[in-house]
Amino acid sequence: MIEFISSNRHKFVEIKTRMDECNLGITWVRMKYEEIQADTTEEISLDSAKKLSSFRGKPFFLEDTGLYITSLNGFPGPYSSYVSKKLGNQLVLKLLDDERSAVFLTVLTYWDGRSFFQFSGKLEGEISLVERGKNGFGYDPIFIPKGKDLTLAEMTVEEKNEISHRSRALNKFIEFLRTNGMP
Ligand code: ITT
């Protein structure tokens, strides 16, 4: 069993669904940890893993995700959690004009007990005009992946996992575990 550290149940459900499909065991360590404010999702993810590794005994992974909106110069990016809580989707929609493209980025960091390894995944798309859908979480109701008509919140977990930033990062990690072995 490999530990996944996060306070977010939705992230865990998406990750467990994919790990189950690959017959890989995962344990959810439900924990809110402090994140630094930094310019990149990579730095935040690595810094969190380094801090947690100083007192966790077993290998684990975590991930940090950001929504980068092109017309806002990449905002909220590393501030996605704060903006989601403080503004919410309705106010984010009000900030936007005709140019609506955006990218989700997930950076997963794995600590094998000695070293850190990072795996990233991106999903391109655009911000919808209104919120749509009841599934998922966070910005899912306002994000339409490129080539799709539905928002992520109108998809099932399995459908989101076929294309998402998170599952792309996770698939690279799963490949790494297959090559290097489970801890
Ligand atoms: P952790 O404990 O794992 O850090 P978190 O919810 O604080 O959980 P992040 O800092 O990685 O997670 O995510 C920042 C915010 O971005 C998050 O609160 C959501 O609002 C949003 N978000 C992350 N992943 C998303 C996804 O797949 N779909 C929609 N919104 C997402």
Side-chain angles (χ1 to χ4, degrees):
M1 288 279 186
I2 184 160
E3 291 186 344
F4 171 62
I5 304 181
S6 174
S7 62
N8 189 320
R9 172 182 295 279
H10 299 279
K11 284 186 180 180
F12 170 67
V13 169
E14 289 177 18
I15 287 173
K16 178 161 169 48
T17 302
R18 181 73 192 124
M19 296 283 276
D20 281 353
E21 286 167 2
C22 300
N23 292 317
L24 295 170
I26 171 174
T27 310
W28 181 24
V29 178
R30 186 179 194 167
M31 183 197 284
K32 185 71 211 156
Y33 52 83
E34 285 300 311
E35 284 175 10
I36 54 159
Q37 212 54 268
D39 287 344
T40 68
T41 301
E42 283 84 357
E43 280 175 81
I44 298 171
S45 184
L46 183 61
D47 178 82
S48 302
K50 282 187 172 163
K51 284 185 184 135
L52 288 168
S53 71
S54 66
F55 63 89
R56 304 279 321 167
K58 290 200 239 155
F60 67 81
F61 69 103
L62 53 76
E63 59 97 314
D64 194 65
T65 295
L67 175 68
Y68 293 75
I69 300 176
T70 312
S71 67
L72 303 179
N73 295 335
F75 186 80
Y79 306 99
S80 293
S81 179
Y82 184 77
V83 168
S84 185
K85 276 184 221 130
K86 287 283 171 188
L87 298 187
N89 290 335
Q90 285 301 332
L91 286 179
V92 170
L93 290 179
K94 285 199 179 159
L95 298 174
L96 300 186
D97 225 313
D98 290 349
E99 159 55 53
R100 309 187 74 85
S101 64
V103 178
F104 264 119
L105 170 67
T106 292
V107 180
L108 184 158
T109 303
Y110 171 54
W111 181 62
D112 70 355
R114 288 200 351 222
S115 307
F116 298 91
F117 302 89
Q118 290 198 299
F119 307 89
S120 63
K122 272 187 188 170
L123 177 63
E124 290 180 13
E126 61 178 51
I127 304 299
S128 58
L129 294 170
V130 293
E131 285 190 89
R132 281 177 8 216
K134 296 265 175 278
N135 302 334
F137 66 104
Y139 302 104
D140 281 344
I142 60 167
F143 191 91
I144 304 170
K146 203 172 185 170
K148 305 276 177 191
D149 296 321
L150 302 179
T151 67
L152 288 173
E154 293 174 308
M155 298 181 184
T156 61
V157 168
E158 287 79 5
E159 285 166 345
K160 182 177 173 185
N161 271 353
E162 272 173 37
I163 53 170
S164 82
H165 40 295
R166 178 163 298 104
S167 66
R168 284 177 180 160
L170 183 63
N171 285 339
K172 290 182 192 170
F173 176 46
I174 289 172
E175 205 43 52
F176 175 92
L177 290 175
R178 287 203 173 118
T179 308
N180 296 280
M182 282 287 272

